[in-house]
Amino acid sequence: MESVPFLFNREDWSLHRKGQLDQQRHQQKVKEAIRKNLADLVAEESIILSDGKKVVKVPVRSLEEYRFRFDPGKQRHVGHGSGSERPGDVIARDGAHGKAGKGPVAGDRPGFDYYEAEVTIDELAELIFEDLGLPNLQQKRRPELVSTGYEFNDVRRHGAMANLDKRRTLLEAFRRNALAGEPAFYPVRPEDLRFKTWDEAMEMRASAVVLAMMDTSGSMGTFEKYIARSFYFWMVRFLRTKYHHVQIVFIAHDTKAKEVTEEEFFTKGESGGTKCSSAYELALSIIEERFPPDEYNIYAFHFSDGDNFPSDNSRCVKLVGDLLERASAVGYGEIVNSRYYSDSTLMSVYQKIEDPRFVRVTIRDKSEVYPALRAFFRQTPEREVITA
Amino acid sequence: MTDQELIELERWTERIMKRARAEGLDFYDMRFEVCPPDVIYAFGAYGMPTRFSHWSFGKAFHRLKTEYDYNLSRIYELVVNSDPCYAFLLDGNSLLQNKLVIAHVLGHSDFFKHNWRFRGTSRFMMENMAAHAERIARYEFRYGMERVEQLLDAALALAEQVDPHPVGPPSAQDEDDAGEQERGRPARPSTPYDDLWALDERLEAARASASPRAEAPAGAKEGRRAGFSPREPAGGDRPGGAARPARKWPPRPEKDVLGFILRHSDYLDAWERDVLAMVREEALYFWPQIETKIMNEGWASYWHLRLMRDEELGEEDALEFARMHAGVIQPHPLHLNPYLLGLKIFESIEARWDHPSEEDRRRLGLTGGQGREKIFEVRELETDASFVRSYLSRKVVEDLKLFTFVHQGDEWQVESVDWEHVRDALAAKLANGGIPSIWVEEADYRGAGELLLRHQWDGQVLDLEHLEKTLPHVHRLWGRPVHLLTVVDGKETIFSFDGEQHRRSSP
């Protein structure tokens, strides 16, 4: 073939999808890596405090391409300066330090290939909730799906003659005739016809209610509140993702219990002493008034540091028993900050309760939030599980 | 780029190629492809448009594309070391940008054609890689994506551990194979005819057991009778077994770890060897580019600057050219810019040989006016390490305000601005393409067919996390415990992985 010194060419590359395909495979592997690190990620500050941001960055180190290489931290590097550099000058620092006890954070450093995966909270939630569900969920008297008839809510140009919207049809004809210079209702042409369309209005009936109780007394420090809120953050998300119409009641308590809004629940400060029975009493009265147990699956969860008025403990045991009579499951999570830990906590008296529907967990650090979620929301496949 | 612009670019290219030739550049015939960004970034990530699929390329692609989408970086072109030389131009480039890019590309093409490290590279790698991609896709279909992916993970982890410049005879490999024949082992890799070789072994075994001189251990004989498998476990007739006096294997250390494994691991299936061989071939093709990054980019930058400078540019174009050139050679405190450094070194060589100092005249016999000739010679003979070692002068270090820096606590601190220190540090860092040099020391380590690798210590510490995460990949290919000897905290240390556990010990 004769040699041609040069050629220009512009091809159609629209079918060249390899990069995108391999990128998908990579993202799939990122997901797998995240799945393996869920316990650490569940209590990740950047997520809990993300304020509804849709995308979070989670550090993923397992997708490095490992090979024999020099330690960049122990190598001598060469850079371009401004001419004013003197030995000992600091030109960069490692990324934000000591934050949330995580490992190294991507900084402006040479040599470190630190991969941060961007995932949406929804994607993360999907992974976290993959095999979680409300335990002991039962078919209640009130069915979870009730059809309440039809609702006409739109007008279209096509439809069955029986659904003709006569008024709108005449208006259309009038408008068209008027534009043609003859303001009159007739003639009516086919294009004037307007039909009503409808949706079958289905009302989803909640068959479950979750009572979320949290100790906000003075002894609940930053760590304890953070843990409790991490748990409830995911619980709320989980319930709303999987069960569209589950109701959640938020109860905050110190010596007195109060039903609060979701926002208050997640932001309210702490004060006062502790009387956990107050929360249970309020929960019971709310059930009494609003959630008859034969119509609702009832769940009650309570987080505390266990530092209760000792005189109140036996009352708590009795009330948990009352809750168990009405509820599908009751959970108690005790957050232990080793510095203040004492033996005479609520947990020690709850040890005596023997009911498989009463779930106890102790949380000592952030990585135990995920196991707690799993303990409270483990699936119960042997029963019929209803997901609305 | 509009069709009109394309026509103008073609005319311009013809002219600039003539001028480049007149200046002494000697490049391959050129094929310019105008591509959309996605395609350019895919090529950037894969190293070659036709390469096989792997998630790591997808990761690189994602990063490059994101940087492009956020306007953080831009690849104007990609040039492939092939004959004819393919250059991929970004469709979004303006006409002037493309002119600069083409001038730049001619420099690369000349460099590929003449730098001696590229002498051995295949100029048909585009086609080879396309064939590789197809073959690997077929293996995926046959053996499942997971298996192929895991194999590629392992192969790519070792892709830099090849020997791009094996030094002459007798090659370790030949001796090796001779040694194997001598030991009566079938030459690997295994073939469908292994059962024929096994007949020989059976005969030999029969003779051995009949002969009173037979000294082979019972275990070995049993092994032979039992299976005649080419995958016979170690200890049979391996060197170091009692059948022969202990003998080092390989007789001398081999640098081509990937090649050694693919030839001698008896753990691999034929198709797995094939994949390893393909990865190795591609790695060898890319290796010279790793070793000459600074020179290659410097040379191309030198030429886009020269060729464009002589163009009559309108005011707007001149401004755009200046802006683009400035972007290409922008310095950064933490990352050495190879375009800038290479360009400045070439310019300083040219100036020095054009206008030698008294000392250079006396000591090197320079007569002046030899600058152009000298830089052509340098582009042919050096690699980055020797380029920096020999030609990074005090003036360049001071002009570019280079300094060395190190990690202290959680800070990066300036270590030195002394020009010789900077030069030596950089040259040391660039040795062996900046990649740790690792050798197969012993393939029958502890007499059990285990693999001992040795890191050729040059004062730089290995990344221990990476080391421990890479060993399982080696194990995946070798099938028996693997070891790596290196120096940690001034002490020789052996890192071992036996398939389940990591261990550190001293030799």
Side-chain angles (χ1 to χ4, degrees):
Chain A
M1 199 176 71
E2 197 191 339
S3 170
V4 191
F6 76 97
L7 279 179
F8 271 93
N9 189 23
R10 176 149 49 176
E11 268 180 48
D12 178 8
W13 291 99
S14 52
L15 290 178
H16 192 92
R17 302 257 317 139
K18 192 157 66 178
Q20 279 84 351
L21 290 176
D22 282 345
Q23 182 182 334
Q24 272 170 22
R25 174 65 188 140
H26 173 240
Q27 271 155 358
Q28 197 182 334
K29 288 177 79 76
V30 168
K31 267 198 178 175
E32 284 166 25
I34 292 173
R35 197 191 307 266
K36 282 188 203 137
N37 290 318
L38 278 183
D40 287 333
L41 292 176
V42 158
E44 179 73 29
E45 235 158 328
S46 61
I47 297 168
I48 308 300
L49 305 176
S50 64
D51 278 340
K53 252 191 279 163
K54 284 276 160 36
V55 176
V56 288
K57 289 192 167 180
V58 294
V60 177
R61 299 215 67 191
S62 57
L63 286 190
E64 288 248 33
E65 294 142 64
Y66 292 102
R67 56 195 54 187
F68 298 124
R69 65 171 207 185
F70 295 115
D71 186 341
K74 294 191 172 146
Q75 262 186 314
R76 189 169 274 137
H77 304 268
V78 177
H80 298 274
S82 60
S84 61
E85 282 78 12
R86 293 289 162 267
D89 287 359
V90 175
I91 52 166
R93 267 171 230 284
D94 292 347
H97 221 63
K99 222 178 143 194
K102 292 301 292 179
V105 179
D108 192 14
R109 296 177 297 167
F112 286 98
D113 184 17
Y114 191 94
Y115 189 75
E116 276 195 331
E118 282 192 353
V119 289
T120 64
I121 297 221
D122 290 342
E123 277 172 337
L124 203 54
E126 196 182 301
L127 291 170
I128 292 173
F129 307 150
E130 212 164 37
D131 48 0
L132 300 187
L134 284 170
N136 310 320
L137 202 60
Q138 282 164 324
Q139 184 83 48
K140 290 291 176 178
R141 201 185 63 199
R142 191 184 284 196
E144 80 276 20
L145 200 64
V146 180
S147 170
T148 56
Y150 304 100
E151 212 173 69
F152 289 95
N153 54 7
D154 199 2
V155 179
R156 296 184 191 164
R157 282 165 182 262
H158 304 282
M161 281 315 278
N163 295 318
L164 187 70
D165 186 330
K166 292 174 190 142
R167 191 163 164 269
R168 282 221 167 78
T169 301
L170 286 176
L171 275 173
E172 284 298 325
F174 189 85
R175 189 189 340 237
R176 188 182 43 72
N177 290 332
L179 280 170
E182 186 89 358
F185 285 105
Y186 295 97
V188 176
R189 298 249 173 84
E191 64 261 33
D192 300 329
L193 300 181
R194 290 294 179 273
F195 300 88
K196 292 183 277 193
T197 58
W198 69 95
D199 284 335
E200 200 171 343
M202 304 283 243
E203 192 181 331
M204 307 281 261
R205 283 290 178 185
S207 60
V209 58
V210 173
L211 301 140
M213 297 174 273
M214 180 162 62
D215 184 349
T216 55
S217 66
S219 63
M220 288 287 283
T222 317
F223 171 75
E224 288 86 351
K225 271 187 306 168
Y226 179 74
I227 293 294
R229 284 176 182 155
S230 298
F231 177 89
Y232 281 128
F233 173 89
W234 288 113
M235 185 197 82
V236 167
R237 238 164 216 287
F238 154 62
L239 292 172
R240 299 216 168 116
T241 310
K242 264 202 154 156
Y243 305 91
H244 293 292
H245 284 74
V246 73
Q247 296 189 49
I248 307 172
V249 176
F250 298 97
I251 297 171
H253 77 89
D254 38 45
T255 46
K256 278 209 208 76
K258 217 170 83 179
E259 185 174 349
V260 295
T261 64
E262 180 172 350
E263 201 197 328
E264 286 167 340
F265 187 77
F266 280 103
T267 52
K268 196 172 170 280
E270 71 277 0
S271 66
T274 315
K275 220 168 116 193
C276 294
S277 61
S278 64
Y280 302 153
E281 275 164 0
L282 180 58
L284 283 164
S285 74
I286 288 172
I287 292 169
E288 181 84 13
E289 283 166 27
R290 286 149 53 190
F291 303 106
D294 53 354
E295 290 185 14
Y296 290 93
N297 284 283
I298 294 167
Y299 298 90
F301 297 114
H302 179 217
F303 273 86
S304 162
D305 60 353
D307 188 11
N308 198 27
F309 284 133
S311 57
D312 189 48
N313 282 354
S314 58
R315 178 150 179 77
C316 286
V317 174
K318 183 195 168 285
L319 291 170
V320 166
D322 292 349
L323 279 170
L324 280 167
E325 271 174 29
R326 295 161 176 78
S328 301
V330 176
Y332 173 65
E334 192 159 291
I335 304 152
V336 176
N337 194 334
S338 53
R339 282 180 299 160
Y340 305 119
Y341 187 68
S342 82
D343 286 344
S344 61
T345 62
L346 211 45
M347 186 60 91
S348 59
V349 296
Y350 285 163
Q351 299 292 354
K352 295 176 210 118
I353 302 176
E354 280 178 31
D355 186 318
R357 291 173 305 132
F358 183 60
V359 181
R360 291 166 291 237
V361 293
T362 306
I363 299 181
R364 287 177 198 79
D365 74 67
K366 294 199 312 184
S367 67
E368 288 176 335
V369 173
Y370 181 58
L373 271 170
R374 297 189 66 89
F376 285 168
F377 296 107
R378 60 168 173 245
Q379 288 275 26
T380 44
E382 64 272 15
R383 293 180 191 237
E384 194 192 359
V385 176
I386 307 154
T387 52
Chain B
M1 205 166 41
T2 64
D3 289 344
Q4 192 56 46
E5 283 175 332
L6 201 60
I7 292 167
E8 194 191 328
L9 193 61
E10 280 185 359
R11 271 209 304 271
W12 186 87
T13 302
E14 195 167 354
R15 203 156 52 84
I16 208 76
M17 280 173 82
K18 267 202 199 104
R19 270 195 29 225
R21 283 211 180 86
E23 296 272 2
L25 283 184
D26 172 32
F27 34 81
Y28 294 117
D29 290 347
M30 299 300 304
R31 300 287 179 269
F32 297 104
E33 289 273 356
V34 182
C35 313
D38 272 17
V39 175
I40 289 271
Y41 287 91
F43 297 172
Y46 287 74
M48 183 71 94
T50 52
R51 213 162 173 208
F52 61 85
S53 285
H54 188 255
W55 62 267
S56 62
F57 302 141
K59 171 180 155 183
F61 171 74
H62 182 57
R63 201 189 57 231
L64 287 172
K65 199 164 115 3
T66 307
E67 285 176 3
Y68 174 80
D69 290 344
Y70 287 100
N71 226 350
L72 293 173
S73 80
R74 192 177 166 99
I75 302 178
Y76 291 104
E77 45 79 14
L78 275 163
V79 193
V80 174
N81 166 30
S82 61
D83 180 13
C85 177
Y86 279 83
F88 299 90
L89 313 181
L90 185 64
D91 203 356
N93 289 348
S94 69
L95 182 60
L96 180 106
Q97 284 173 336
N98 267 334
K99 287 179 177 176
L100 186 151
V101 162
I102 283 166
H104 188 89
V105 159
L106 295 180
H108 281 313
S109 183
D110 170 84
F111 194 87
F112 287 141
K113 191 168 173 183
H114 291 279
N115 181 276
W116 77 273
R117 288 274 159 152
F118 288 86
R119 286 278 158 84
T121 55
S122 163
R123 310 292 182 179
F124 309 102
M125 212 51 192
M126 283 253 275
E127 291 77 8
N128 289 6
M129 285 194 189
H132 291 173
E134 210 179 304
R135 219 146 83 222
I136 288 175
R138 274 213 305 274
Y139 290 141
E140 257 179 27
F141 185 70
R142 201 141 136 216
Y143 301 103
M145 199 187 86
E146 294 274 324
R147 268 179 83 188
V148 173
E149 182 174 274
Q150 278 167 16
L151 181 69
L152 282 175
D153 285 352
L156 289 171
L158 283 179
E160 288 167 345
Q161 299 303 329
V162 292
D163 188 358
H165 315 292
V167 248
S171 101
Q173 184 192 341
D174 293 342
E175 273 188 35
D176 219 33
D177 286 346
E180 293 222 347
Q181 301 293 0
E182 214 180 290
R183 288 193 297 275
R185 285 180 64 85
R188 290 190 201 83
S190 58
T191 67
Y193 306 106
D194 280 336
D195 51 347
L196 293 179
W197 297 112
L199 287 176
D200 271 357
E201 288 196 4
R202 193 187 302 192
L203 198 65
E204 198 181 289
R207 241 188 252 134
S209 60
S211 154
R213 283 178 298 144
E215 280 164 20
K221 275 188 281 176
E222 264 165 33
R224 284 176 180 176
R225 279 202 206 97
F228 304 107
S229 152
R231 289 188 162 208
E232 193 173 285
D237 47 5
R238 290 257 181 198
R244 289 191 60 88
R247 179 177 160 165
K248 200 165 150 42
W249 183 54
R252 66 185 66 169
E254 273 196 44
K255 184 163 185 279
D256 188 353
V257 177
L258 187 58
F260 186 89
I261 286 176
L262 96 88
R263 274 184 281 117
H264 297 292
S265 167
D266 51 15
Y267 182 73
L268 297 172
D269 286 337
W271 72 272
E272 293 177 309
R273 274 176 224 287
D274 187 32
V275 170
L276 255 50
M278 290 188 272
V279 169
R280 177 171 171 274
E281 193 187 335
E282 297 185 7
L284 284 169
Y285 167 82
F286 285 121
W287 185 275
Q289 300 184 34
I290 298 173
E291 273 185 309
T292 57
K293 175 90 178 160
I294 295 170
M295 287 184 74
N296 202 343
E297 294 303 354
W299 186 248
S301 299
Y302 175 95
W303 284 104
H304 82 232
L305 202 54
R306 289 296 169 284
L307 295 170
M308 293 298 285
R309 224 178 239 168
D310 296 346
E311 283 289 296
E312 298 236 335
L313 298 177
E315 195 176 325
E316 211 171 294
D317 280 355
L319 201 62
E320 194 184 345
F321 168 68
R323 199 179 292 133
M324 184 174 168
H325 177 69
V328 169
I329 62 162
Q330 192 172 32
H332 185 280
L334 300 183
H335 308 280
L336 207 56
N337 181 337
Y339 295 78
L340 175 59
L341 180 64
L343 171 66
K344 291 299 172 191
I345 296 180
F346 273 119
E347 284 181 344
S348 79
I349 295 171
E350 189 176 30
R352 186 173 163 202
W353 262 258
D354 272 344
H355 311 286
S357 64
E358 270 313 308
E359 194 190 347
D360 284 342
R361 282 177 195 276
R362 207 173 51 242
R363 285 182 48 201
L364 302 176
L366 302 188
T367 54
Q370 300 157 306
R372 192 47 80 75
E373 195 186 324
K374 180 65 183 175
I375 55 173
F376 273 89
E377 178 195 304
V378 167
R379 74 97 158 79
E380 187 158 340
L381 297 180
E382 310 293 344
T383 62
D384 284 351
S386 62
F387 183 62
V388 163
R389 155 97 35 227
S390 308
Y391 301 107
L392 179 54
S393 62
R394 168 180 217 136
K395 186 170 177 339
V396 174
V397 172
E398 287 175 0
D399 283 355
L400 294 182
K401 304 175 176 83
L402 301 181
F403 61 90
T404 63
F405 63 99
V406 291
H407 197 228
Q408 293 278 349
D410 61 352
E411 292 175 346
W412 293 91
Q413 289 181 0
V414 175
E415 185 202 34
S416 172
V417 293
D418 174 70
W419 81 273
E420 282 175 305
H421 181 85
V422 169
R423 178 195 63 192
D424 295 349
L426 187 56
K429 206 181 168 207
L430 290 167
N432 195 46
I435 292 155
S437 180
I438 292 180
W439 296 66
V440 177
E441 181 77 17
E442 175 67 75
D444 190 28
Y445 186 54
R446 304 202 291 197
E450 298 177 9
L451 186 67
L452 173 66
L453 305 176
R454 177 194 285 274
H455 167 218
Q456 198 179 45
W457 171 251
D458 62 354
Q460 298 188 84
V461 188
L462 292 186
D463 183 325
L464 299 186
E465 191 200 340
H466 271 247
L467 165 51
E468 292 207 323
K469 292 265 172 64
T470 306
L471 280 181
H473 287 308
V474 186
H475 182 271
R476 158 74 187 79
L477 301 176
W478 190 250
R480 293 197 189 88
V482 292
H483 313 266
L484 176 77
L485 176 65
T486 182
V487 177
V488 180
D489 297 330
K491 279 209 308 268
E492 284 204 319
T493 309
I494 296 183
F495 290 78
S496 305
F497 181 72
D498 64 4
E500 278 166 12
Q501 280 188 324
H502 287 277
R503 245 163 33 87
R504 288 186 199 189
S505 54
S506 39

